[in-house]
Amino acid sequence: MSREEMRKLQGERLHKLVDRVYHNTPFYRQKMQEMDVTPDDIRTIDDIVKLPFTTKQDLRDNYPYGLFAVPMSQIIRLHASSGTTGNPTVVGYTRKDLSVWSEMIARCLSAFGADCNDIFTVAYGYGLFTGGLGLHYGVEHLGATVIPMSTGNTAKHIQILKDFGPTAMACTPSYALYMADAIRKAGIPMEEMKLRIGIFGGEPWTDNMRKDIENKLNIDAYNIYGLSEIMGPGVSHECECKNGSHIIEDHFYPEIVSPDTLEPLPFGQQGELVFTTLTKEGMPLLRYRTKDLCSLTDEPCPCGRTNVRMSRIVGRSDDMLIIRGVNIFPSQVESVILEMEEFEPHYQLIVDRINNLDVLQILVEVRESYFSDEISKMMALKNKIAYKLHSVLGISADIKLVEPSSIARSEGKTQHVIDKRTLK
């Protein structure tokens, strides 16, 4: 579609969405009445700025079904977050929602070069988490073969990679590196496997991390983005150009707003990503604040797709560390580590407060070929990375070089930050 055609479609769908939630979701009706807005006020996509924002706290306050826009008789599946910081956020899907979701994932997989001849291992978590089932039904919609591995049991996964000949794998990027280490330790040459595509999401990762994964697993690695509240994985996807993720914006309208003022920001400026679900039936959301920080662009992509693209997530406004007045993101540390061949892509930030002063310690694994018993060599290596980290972060940190494989590995999302200030 041309940009004009897309915006016309988005405007039509937004009007229908607003009318639906106004009459079917008491939460939104009250919000709109407080703002003196009616569905008749929303005619074009530009009118979206008149609508209220939605936050994760709103989902928790309306736990479990308060934001559903259809009766439970039309909800055929539920997913939910872990609820580690309060009530879990519950999401409901109608039959049409699941059909749309599967088609979205199939679009993503096609953009990665996959087709019905591929065999996928899906190593995202199944169950209440949206990753496993989301990818599973998308692979089936594409007509490809799916192996529902789920998380854990890495030894079995390696055996299946070797014996079943899958050509694609879907998991978190940190688990992909975990798998690469496990395959290397098992002494299995990558040449014995048929993997060619990796679909990675669920956590932020960098281009340097992509190169590391591609080199270790001998694959093309692609980013897929999504979040349970909006639908699940498949809200956006990379293409063969790997220069940003195309948002499936006929279903999800994106905005970038200032995290501080909530004012919309223009293309190219970094801010908080906001989504409106234009077609979702079960639990449609208006202007949902994702807390993810990135930028958008409508510049043409060489692949020919006209969808707006989002940059990589540089961090989360609620995960950002403020240390001695400086904003720090784990991805900044990761980018430095992955540029240096002396280090493994495994690290941990430990933040504490000593004598009323914030202190930052960064644990970094040294590659086996560079690890030494000679103090002078290790000091030189420590000074080298300390200098680079200081130039990027803007503050000094206590760098601790550790032996290979000494930082705890994870088969899911790796814990890169331990903030002891919040644990006391």
Side-chain angles (χ1 to χ4, degrees), residues 360-413:
L360 170 63
Q361 184 181 60
I362 303 176
L363 276 58
V364 187
E365 277 190 17
V366 180
R367 290 191 189 276
E368 194 168 345
S369 56
Y370 287 92
F371 197 82
S372 173
D373 290 333
E374 295 184 35
I375 295 178
S376 59
K377 287 185 178 180
M378 297 304 289
M379 283 301 298
L381 199 54
K382 177 179 177 178
N383 291 337
K384 180 180 179 181
I385 190 172
Y387 174 79
K388 290 194 174 186
L389 284 169
H390 184 271
S391 65
V392 170
L393 302 179
I395 64 170
S396 58
D398 173 23
I399 310 300
K400 184 178 180 181
L401 304 185
V402 298
E403 296 181 15
S405 302
S406 60
I407 294 177
R409 303 293 195 260
S410 169
E411 296 188 354
K413 295 184 181 182

Side-chain angles (χ1 to χ4, degrees), residues 7 11 14 42-50 253 255:
R7 290 183 65 80
L14 178 65
I42 310 301
R43 290 296 176 183
T44 72
I45 197 63
D46 292 326
D47 292 327
I48 198 166
V49 296
K50 301 175 183 177
Y253 183 73
E255 299 174 84

Side-chain angles (χ1 to χ4, degrees), residues 148-379:
M149 282 303 307
S150 194
T151 55
N153 205 345
T154 300
K156 174 65 73 174
H157 198 163
I158 293 173
Q159 180 185 357
I160 284 177
L161 290 176
K162 185 174 179 293
D163 298 344
F164 288 26
T167 54
M169 66 183 296
C171 60
T172 61
S174 56
Y175 184 60
L177 285 173
Y178 181 89
M179 283 284 295
D181 288 344
I183 291 169
R184 177 179 56 82
K185 289 176 181 177
I188 302 173
M190 286 306 304
E191 291 74 22
E192 293 185 11
M193 300 183 185
K194 296 182 180 179
L195 278 179
R196 65 184 190 91
I197 297 172
I199 300 103
F200 305 121
E203 61 190 13
W205 56 304
T206 62
D207 275 323
N208 284 326
M209 194 171 179
R210 185 211 303 271
K211 293 173 187 173
D212 202 36
I213 291 171
E214 290 182 334
N215 290 335
K216 288 182 174 180
L217 292 176
N218 194 26
I219 59 173
D220 268 321
Y222 295 96
N223 188 54
I224 189 170
Y225 172 84
L227 58 165
S228 300
E229 300 91 324
I230 298 301
M231 183 67 89
V235 174
S236 73
H237 60 86
E238 287 186 319
C239 63
E240 66 268 25
C241 302
K242 300 178 183 177
N243 61 351
S245 292
H246 295 271
I247 295 171
I248 299 184
E249 55 172 330
D250 48 328
H251 294 291
F252 310 107
Y253 183 73
E255 299 174 84
I256 294 290
V257 303
S258 164
D260 300 319
T261 67
L262 300 184
E263 289 297 314
L265 298 175
F267 285 121
Q269 284 198 25
Q270 184 177 295
E272 182 179 336
L273 182 61
V274 171
F275 277 115
T276 296
T277 61
L278 296 175
T279 60
K280 201 172 180 187
E281 293 182 338
M283 197 182 82
L285 296 180
L286 301 179
R287 307 188 80 191
Y288 181 73
R289 296 183 57 188
T290 69
K291 299 291 187 177
D292 288 332
L293 300 175
C294 67
S295 61
L296 300 178
T297 180
D298 62 348
E299 293 180 1
C301 181
C303 78
R305 292 175 178 83
T306 57
N307 298 46
V308 163
R309 282 171 289 143
M310 55 184 280
S311 69
R312 280 193 178 275
I313 302 299
V314 299
R316 289 179 55 81
S317 58
D318 56 354
D319 282 351
M320 180 178 69
L321 293 167
I322 302 178
I323 303 173
R324 301 197 291 276
V326 178
N327 297 341
I328 304 293
F329 293 99
S331 58
Q332 293 174 295
V333 175
E334 183 175 288
S335 66
V336 171
I337 292 170
L338 289 171
E339 286 175 357
M340 303 177 69
E341 63 180 13
E342 299 94 334
F343 302 101
E344 295 282 357
H346 301 288
Y347 65 95
Q348 199 162 59
L349 281 66
I350 301 174
V351 190
D352 206 344
R353 183 165 288 136
I354 299 175
N355 296 327
N356 296 317
L357 180 68
D358 289 341
V359 294
L360 170 63
Q361 184 181 60
I362 303 176
L363 276 58
V364 187
E365 277 190 17
V366 180
R367 290 191 189 276
E368 194 168 345
S369 56
Y370 287 92
F371 197 82
S372 173
D373 290 333
E374 295 184 35
I375 295 178
S376 59
K377 287 185 178 180
M378 297 304 289
M379 283 301 298

